[in-house]
């Protein structure tokens, strides 16, 4: 989120080529013109845990709450 300076990437909710293109432009702009923000984004992304074990634990927690 460029306002709160949180998150670890660029998201979009309208799944089409035009929206994807605009998010790629946003990423390129940050990469080229906001080097400090880009480095923070990269470091934040590298700290994220997307391992199968972590995701499975999250799914199990969701499953157990709906039982």
């Amino acid at each position: 989120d460029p306002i709160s300076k949180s998150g670890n990437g660029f998201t979009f909710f309208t799944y089409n080529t035009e929206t994807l293109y605009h998010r790629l432009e946003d990423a390129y702009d940050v990469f080229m013109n906001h080097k400090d923000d880009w480095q923070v984004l990269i470091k934040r992304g590298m700290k994220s845990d997307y391992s199968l074990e972590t995701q499975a634990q999250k799914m199990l927690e969701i499953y157990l709450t709906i039982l």
Side-chain angles (χ1 to χ4, degrees):
D1 179 14
I3 304 300
S4 67
K5 303 245 184 204
S6 63
N8 60 6
F10 298 84
T11 60
F12 54 97
F13 300 100
T14 306
Y15 299 107
N16 60 46
T17 55
E18 182 179 353
T19 305
L20 173 61
Y21 180 78
H22 290 301
R23 290 303 74 78
L24 289 171
E25 284 183 319
D26 293 342
Y28 185 73
D29 176 62
V30 173
F31 177 75
M32 293 300 291
N33 302 312
H34 307 278
K35 297 290 187 181
D36 291 341
D37 291 340
W38 183 259
Q39 289 302 313
V40 170
L41 184 68
I42 296 301
K43 289 177 183 177
R44 195 179 303 130
M46 292 172 68
K47 289 180 183 177
S48 299
D49 183 0
Y50 296 106
S51 68
L52 182 57
E53 184 175 327
T54 299
Q55 300 308 312
Q57 182 61 41
K58 289 179 183 178
M59 301 259 317
L60 179 60
E61 289 170 9
I62 292 169
Y63 176 74
L64 292 174
T65 61
I66 61 174
L67 284 181

